Amino acid sequence: MALAGVRMIEVPIENSDDVLEINCSQLPEHASEICDILENEGAAQRYYQQFALEYYKQGQADEAIVTLKRGLANAKSNDQTAKLPLLNLLASIYVQKAKQPLALSMVGSSSRDMLLTMATALLTEAERISRTEPNTFM
């Protein structure tokens, strides 16, 4: 049971009616630990999205990216539409990172260009999966 003001994410435990409660204010430093839990429990893609958002909100964009990439790698091939929120969120984070002063100040803007190219590739993949998804901006 979550305490007032404490954000918890409940991850269903595979083959059980129980859940694993994870306090978002105490996320592991490395997102790979959360991803290992999600993989072990066969969690749906939306849990990768939720944890990625929590990492991003806490200023840990790189850990959010790790979480989203692992979620995409574990997506079931028979349900491509489940990947759409992950693709769109990852593209959005890349665009936000490209707008940061560090990316803008790089010599020749190569870092910025690389981030924008990756975002474009993700959005292209999302559009290929579903042209009607309202969160895919093409």
Side-chain angles (χ1 to χ4, degrees):
M1 178 165 200
L3 301 172
V6 176
R7 173 115 167 87
M8 303 288 280
I9 296 178
E10 295 181 343
V11 178
I13 297 176
E14 194 169 36
N15 302 320
S16 172
D17 291 334
D18 295 329
V19 295
L20 175 63
E21 290 186 343
I22 300 176
N23 183 337
C24 293
S25 66
Q26 299 176 351
L27 290 176
E29 184 178 341
H30 301 288
S32 60
E33 294 178 41
I34 288 291
C35 293
D36 290 343
I37 292 169
L38 297 176
E39 289 169 9
N40 289 338
E41 299 306 330
Q45 274 25 70
R46 66 186 167 99
Y47 292 101
Y48 290 91
Q49 180 185 16
Q50 288 176 334
F51 283 109
L53 281 170
E54 288 299 328
Y55 275 112
Y56 187 78
K57 288 177 188 176
Q58 295 176 22
Q60 298 181 56
D62 291 336
E63 296 307 311
I65 290 169
V66 167
T67 305
L68 291 167
K69 285 182 174 182
R70 292 269 299 264
L72 287 167
N74 289 304
K76 296 182 178 32
S77 60
N78 62 348
D79 187 11
Q80 292 293 301
T81 57
K83 292 172 59 173
L84 290 173
L86 302 180
L87 291 167
N88 289 319
L89 181 55
L90 185 54
S92 178
I93 291 172
Y94 283 151
V95 169
Q96 290 303 314
K97 284 182 66 94
K99 292 166 69 174
Q100 293 175 350
L102 181 61
L104 295 173
S105 68
M106 295 284 183
V107 175
S109 298
S110 62
S111 177
R112 179 181 177 275
D113 291 345
M114 181 185 69
L115 290 166
L116 293 175
T117 299
M118 290 188 301
T120 301
L122 291 166
L123 292 173
T124 300
E125 182 179 352
E127 184 187 38
R128 181 188 54 76
I129 293 169
S130 174
R131 290 183 178 268
T132 60
E133 171 62 36
N135 293 320
T136 302
F137 310 112
M138 290 303 285

